[in-house]
Amino acid sequence: MKLHEHQSRQLLSGSGIPVPAARLAADPAAAAQAAAELAGPVVVKAQVLSGGRGKAGGVKLAADAAAAAAATAQILGLEIGGDRVEKVMVAEAVDIDAEYYLAALPDREAGRLMVMASGRGRH
């Protein structure tokens, strides 16, 4: 099962795991409204089913609603990992002390779930 980041956040939140507030937007005006509702610096993130969004220009910090709209206009329509960006997630910006990557994958040979964790993503 592949999930967009906003879908993963909903699952985590629904399980009681705290996640920063976020809104989905399909156009710059909706992103501006989302940023205004979140009332502070935000991060605008392309919603595609591939990694490398930041390096491809699909993740941008925005100080306010106008900057969120501008970032969204730049991100929508990008091609990232073979997928065209049609929506962005506008999320509260947070200070990050450390970042970790976690994946749960089926190990078909062993017939069980394999969990991988790393302190580093792609190069």
Side-chain angles (χ1 to χ4, degrees), residues 21-118:
R23 310 276 189 280
L24 198 59
D27 59 59
Q33 180 166 344
E37 289 172 5
L38 295 171
V42 296
V43 60
V44 179
K45 300 173 116 183
Q47 295 300 285
V48 292
L49 296 174
S50 65
R53 294 176 296 168
K55 290 181 181 178
V59 178
K60 297 188 181 292
L61 291 173
D64 56 29
T72 299
Q74 292 173 346
I75 293 171
L76 290 174
L78 286 177
E79 180 122 349
I80 300 174
D83 293 323
R84 182 180 166 87
V85 179
E86 296 181 7
K87 293 183 181 177
V88 298
M89 182 183 69
V90 181
E92 291 177 315
V94 295
D95 289 329
I96 299 172
D97 290 329
E99 188 171 31
Y100 300 96
Y101 300 85
L102 181 67
L105 307 163
D107 182 339
R108 290 181 178 87
E109 277 187 33
R112 62 181 160 213
L113 191 63
M114 173 177 59
V115 176
M116 297 188 311
S118 172

Side-chain angles (χ1 to χ4, degrees), residues 8-19:
S8 298
R9 285 170 170 251
Q10 289 172 339
L11 287 173
L12 292 169
S13 179
S15 297
I17 298 170
V19 295

